[in-house]
């Protein structure tokens, strides 16, 4: 047992008792098990509840301090295995029971001996998702939430992105979920087989998005059902916190929302904040660092963002819950509700409101943006001549994902080799004469046609450093099932980065980012269910110039200085 369980430390933190395991029973009779960490002393104490989908003893410790550390600050900490996970009874079906189960768990935790009756929830990923769902239920004792990097709209920002299946995320996570269900069932063979393929995505079968091993063990999890559910199905709304946005917002719960520029759930994080933020409690705040899903450290991809990037999010949680649950005033938290890490300045930007200024750049070239990196241009002035560039997408060798959310490694990595491929268009500014700070959501509008019924677009915005490295700062992906001649608008992920004087901005456009998303066969058939043998070579024509303008709208932050 760690010393924290036996002594009072020099900072004044409380001693903490060894965890005790208690069970509750849901209204349908299912038993849920939880570990409870209590400070030494009579209390009463507020409760911090984390509802775990990956085993209560793990307790999100890949990103957070141990529950005993949180308890030492004067909280009863409850880490509960949700339905069908850990040692709790039932069958795990993501989102289908979390509103009712979560609300009941909140009220059970509020009634624990020594509790003040006030409950806050914390945790990231699925543990963020079920906080938001619990807030939509009958949970009057829930007084604050701290969701980090979790789903918001299951159809449009979790399973799918602009109509494209997030294949790497769904298949990778699906293998993990299925393996745990096999372990609970005592199926050693299935567990071993799933563990074997977990290190390398098993997308080499006839249909990449439907691995044969998941089909073989489909009875253990939801995964194949999800892969067979189209993006426009009303099923996704039934399991989405976004469906209950108004009900959650009217509660005016204090929120500490954390995201990462290279996290797969960044779009969800932003949407949840925008839809739920009420901006009048002086407590709620949004923090987005230069992080991947985990860990939240300064070295991301191939870039070290410096000591400022190692933000002490545990201390911020304690200060947040002290304010929200203990009504303790604090002068240690900025009064501004939004805090973005500026990846170019390697410092934090504290903002009063969402940035809204824009600056438009025009795509231009002589028609060789796919072959020569110096041909495609981004300029504040529209070019005088019309021109076209061509992406020839060969499904045999699709353009790969590089860095970003899904690359290996994830984060900002030098993508020059990818940009030099003949099926990737690149449009680059001249070296900037003065620094330019981006803060918000870039948007591209591309005038395009295709020789096939459907195509995909993968767009990446990068900084070209003075030494020539090309480091991603934003990206977007879309699947166009019924494509025709026209202008295609694609929002990229929110970002914050100062492009320094002498550096350049680059927009890279491809027709795939395999295996982040499945390869579009080009036939108009569904990429999720179409065999690879059906895929055809697709040519996409991107036009630009006075007659068919293609543009990049950049969110510009007019900020003075770089607040820490």
């Amino acid at each position: 047992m760690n010393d924290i369980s036996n002594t009072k430390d020099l900072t004044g933190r409380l001693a903490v008792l060894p965890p005790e395991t208690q069970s509750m029973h849901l209204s349908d009779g299912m038993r849920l098990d939880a570990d409870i960490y209590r400070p030494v002393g009579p209390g009463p104490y507020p409760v911090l509840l984390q509802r775990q989908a990956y085993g209560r003893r793990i307790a999100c410790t890949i990103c957070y301090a141990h529950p005993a550390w949180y308890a030492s600050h004067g909280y009863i900490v409850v880490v509960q295995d949700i339905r069908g996970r850990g040692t709790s009874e039932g069958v795990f079906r993501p989102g289908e029971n979390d509103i009712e189960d979560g609300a009941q768990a909140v009220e059970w935790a509020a009634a624990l001996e020594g509790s003040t009756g006030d409950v806050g929830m914390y945790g990231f990923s699925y543990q963020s998702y079920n906080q938001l769902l619990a807030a939509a239920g009958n949970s009057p004792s829930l007084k604050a939430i701290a969701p980090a990097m979790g789903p918001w709209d299951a159809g449009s920002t979790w399973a799918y992105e602009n109509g494209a299946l997030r294949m790497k995320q769904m298949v990778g996570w699906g293998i993990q979920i299925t393996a745990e269900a096999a372990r609970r069932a005592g199926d050693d063979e299935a567990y071993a087989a799933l563990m074997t393929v977990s290190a390398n995505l098993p997308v080499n079968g006839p249909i990449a998005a439907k691995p044969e091993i998941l089909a073989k063990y489909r009875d253990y999890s939801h995964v194949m059902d999800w892969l067979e559910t189209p993006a426009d199905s009303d099923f996704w709304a039934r399991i989405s916190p976004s469906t209950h946005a108004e009900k959650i917002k009217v509660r005016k719960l204090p929120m500490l929302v954390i995201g990462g520029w290279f996290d797969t759930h960044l779009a969800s994080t932003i949407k949840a904040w925008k839809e739920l933020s009420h901006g009048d409690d002086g407590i709620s705040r949004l923090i987005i660092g230069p992080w991947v899903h985990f860990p939240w450290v300064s070295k991301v991809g191939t870039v070290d963002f410096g000591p400022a990037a190692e933000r002490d999010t545990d201390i911020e949680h304690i200060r947040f819950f002290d304010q929200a649950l203990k009504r303790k005033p604090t002068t240690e938290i900025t009064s501004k509700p939004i805090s973005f890490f500026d990846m170019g300045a390697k410092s934090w930007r504290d903002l009063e409101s969402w940035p809204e200024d824009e600056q438009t750049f025009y795509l231009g070239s002589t028609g060789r943006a796919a072959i020569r990196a110096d041909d495609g241009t981004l300029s504040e002035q529209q070019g005088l001549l019309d021109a076209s560039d061509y992406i020839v997408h060969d499904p045999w060798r699709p353009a790969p994902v590089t860095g970003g959310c899904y690359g290996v490694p994830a984060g900002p990595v030098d993508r020059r080799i990818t940009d030099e491929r003949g099926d990737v268009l690149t449009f680059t500014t001249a070296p900037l004469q003065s620094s330019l700070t981006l803060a918000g959501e870039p948007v591209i509008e591309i005038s395009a046609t295709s020789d096939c019924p459907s195509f995909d677009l993968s767009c990446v915005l990068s900084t070209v450093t003075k030494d020539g490295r090309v480091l991603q700062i934003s990206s977007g992906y879309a699947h166009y099932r019924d494509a025709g001649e026209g202008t295609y608008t694609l929002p990229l992920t929110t970002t914050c980065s100062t492009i320094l004087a002498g550096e350049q901005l680059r927009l890279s456009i491809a027709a795939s980012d395999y295996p982040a998303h499945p390869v579009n066969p080009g036939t108009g058939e569904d990429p999720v269910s179409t065999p690879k043998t059906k895929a055809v070579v697709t040519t996409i024509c991107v036009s630009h110039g006075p007659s068919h303008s293609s543009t990049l709208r950049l969110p510009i932050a007019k900020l003075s200085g770089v607040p820490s």
Side-chain angles (χ1 to χ4, degrees):
M1 178 60 67
N2 192 290
D3 289 344
I4 197 172
S5 303
N6 303 304
T7 65
K8 187 171 184 177
D9 91 10
L10 297 177
T11 66
R13 290 186 298 156
L14 299 170
V16 177
L17 297 170
E20 57 177 309
T21 300
Q22 289 192 26
S23 302
M24 64 168 286
H25 286 83
L26 297 164
S27 57
D28 64 359
M30 290 293 108
R31 187 195 78 247
L32 303 185
D33 298 331
D35 288 339
I36 302 174
Y37 300 81
R38 296 178 180 275
V40 172
Y45 303 105
V47 176
L48 299 184
L49 171 64
Q50 182 184 117
R51 302 195 66 242
Q52 257 293 333
Y54 302 99
R56 63 183 187 269
R57 287 298 168 99
I58 295 175
C60 289
T61 51
I62 53 179
C63 293
Y64 297 76
H66 193 273
W69 182 89
Y70 277 84
S72 74
H73 287 82
Y75 291 92
I76 297 172
V77 181
V78 179
V79 186
Q80 181 185 69
D81 286 328
I82 65 173
R83 180 189 293 254
R85 305 294 285 171
T87 62
S88 290
E89 294 179 334
V91 176
F92 175 57
R93 298 287 298 184
E96 295 183 23
N97 305 105
D98 284 297
I99 292 179
E100 295 81 5
D101 290 5
Q104 291 179 47
V106 166
E107 297 310 308
W108 172 78
L112 288 172
E113 182 182 355
S115 164
T116 63
D118 290 339
V119 178
M121 294 185 74
Y122 78 109
F124 90 117
S125 198
Y126 198 94
Q127 292 66 233
S128 169
Y129 174 60
N130 63 34
Q131 288 178 62
L132 296 165
L133 290 172
N138 182 20
S139 53
S141 299
L142 182 61
K143 301 299 173 62
I145 56 175
M149 300 185 180
W152 174 244
D153 187 315
S156 65
T157 60
W158 188 8
Y160 287 86
E161 172 185 3
N162 299 310
L165 178 74
R166 300 182 115 186
M167 182 173 72
K168 185 172 183 180
Q169 177 164 287
M170 287 297 101
V171 171
W173 184 61
I175 289 169
Q176 180 184 4
I177 292 298
T178 307
E180 171 60 10
R183 186 197 67 78
R184 281 170 53 94
D187 190 336
D188 295 340
E189 179 182 341
Y191 183 77
L194 290 159
M195 280 287 290
T196 298
V197 301
S198 64
N200 294 293
L201 206 65
V203 293
N204 295 321
I207 302 176
K210 293 184 176 181
E212 294 170 343
I213 192 166
L214 288 177
K216 180 178 181 180
Y217 298 116
R218 69 175 299 155
D219 291 344
Y220 280 132
S221 77
H222 69 284
V223 181
M224 289 302 296
D225 292 340
W226 277 28
L227 293 174
E228 292 167 356
T229 302
D232 59 359
S233 170
D234 61 4
F235 165 78
W236 303 113
R238 296 200 298 271
I239 63 168
S240 294
S242 61
T243 302
H244 311 279
E246 287 304 315
K247 185 176 183 180
I248 301 171
K249 183 173 182 177
V250 76
R251 298 186 65 173
K252 293 190 174 182
L253 292 170
M255 301 184 301
L256 174 61
V257 181
I258 295 178
W261 295 134
F262 301 100
D263 174 45
T264 56
H265 294 299
L266 176 61
S268 283
T269 302
I270 299 296
K271 286 187 176 183
W273 170 260
K274 286 186 172 181
E275 294 189 36
L276 298 181
S277 177
H278 41 84
D280 58 1
D281 63 9
I283 301 175
S284 297
R285 53 192 39 85
L286 169 68
I287 298 169
I288 304 183
W291 308 310
V292 294
H293 200 48
F294 65 88
W296 304 344
V297 294
S298 63
K299 179 70 179 294
V300 187
T302 58
V303 176
D304 190 337
F305 287 105
E310 293 191 6
R311 189 159 178 151
D312 197 336
T313 52
D314 288 311
I315 290 295
E316 299 210 51
H317 275 77
I318 293 300
R319 291 172 179 168
F320 167 73
F321 285 123
D322 280 355
Q323 278 190 290
L325 302 181
K326 297 181 180 179
R327 285 74 181 175
K328 284 186 177 180
T330 178
T331 59
E332 297 173 300
I333 298 179
T334 174
S335 61
K336 295 183 179 180
I338 299 172
S339 189
F340 285 170
F341 188 85
D342 184 328
M343 293 183 282
K346 297 185 178 180
S347 299
W348 291 90
R349 299 271 193 180
D350 296 327
L351 309 176
E352 191 64 52
S353 60
W354 202 263
E356 295 183 352
D357 292 323
E358 281 190 346
Q359 186 170 338
T360 298
F361 283 73
Y362 296 88
L363 279 64
S365 78
T366 68
R368 295 196 294 167
I371 293 297
R372 293 188 61 89
D374 61 356
D375 189 63
T377 61
L378 283 176
S379 174
E380 295 179 67
Q381 303 298 322
Q382 174 69 278
L384 298 177
L385 301 177
D386 290 326
S388 296
D389 287 287
Y390 297 88
I391 301 170
V392 179
H393 165 64
D394 181 357
W396 177 261
R397 54 182 300 277
V401 65
T402 304
C405 297
Y406 297 111
V408 181
V413 302
D414 189 352
R415 54 173 287 122
R416 276 179 291 186
I417 292 177
T418 300
D419 280 357
E420 289 168 359
R421 290 172 55 108
D423 54 358
V424 178
L425 307 182
T426 58
F427 301 89
T428 312
T429 66
L432 299 187
Q433 297 300 307
S434 58
S435 295
L436 181 69
T437 298
L438 311 184
E441 183 181 79
V443 177
I444 65 167
E445 293 183 344
I446 296 178
S447 178
T449 60
S450 174
D451 65 348
C452 289
S454 66
F455 64 86
D456 287 7
L457 286 178
S458 170
C459 298
V460 176
L461 186 64
S462 304
T463 299
V464 182
T465 64
K466 293 178 183 179
D467 61 3
R469 290 173 298 147
V470 183
L471 303 175
Q472 175 175 323
I473 57 173
S474 180
S475 66
Y477 195 94
H479 168 61
Y480 301 106
R481 183 73 59 85
D482 300 306
E485 181 177 359
T487 298
Y488 293 84
T489 301
L490 178 59
L492 308 187
T493 52
T494 301
T495 189
C496 181
S497 188
T498 294
I499 317 305
L500 303 175
E503 296 183 330
Q504 299 165 275
L505 263 176
R506 172 176 290 180
L507 176 65
S508 306
I509 306 174
S512 66
D513 66 349
Y514 191 78
H517 301 86
V519 171
N520 188 333
T523 59
E525 297 171 279
D526 185 0
V528 179
S529 56
T530 302
K532 295 175 180 176
T533 52
K534 298 289 186 70
V536 298
V537 174
T538 302
T539 301
I540 303 166
C541 173
V542 175
S543 299
H544 41 77
S547 301
H548 298 89
S549 182
S550 291
T551 62
L552 168 65
R553 299 202 309 270
L554 293 176
I556 304 301
K558 296 179 179 178
L559 304 172
S560 59
V562 183
S564 62

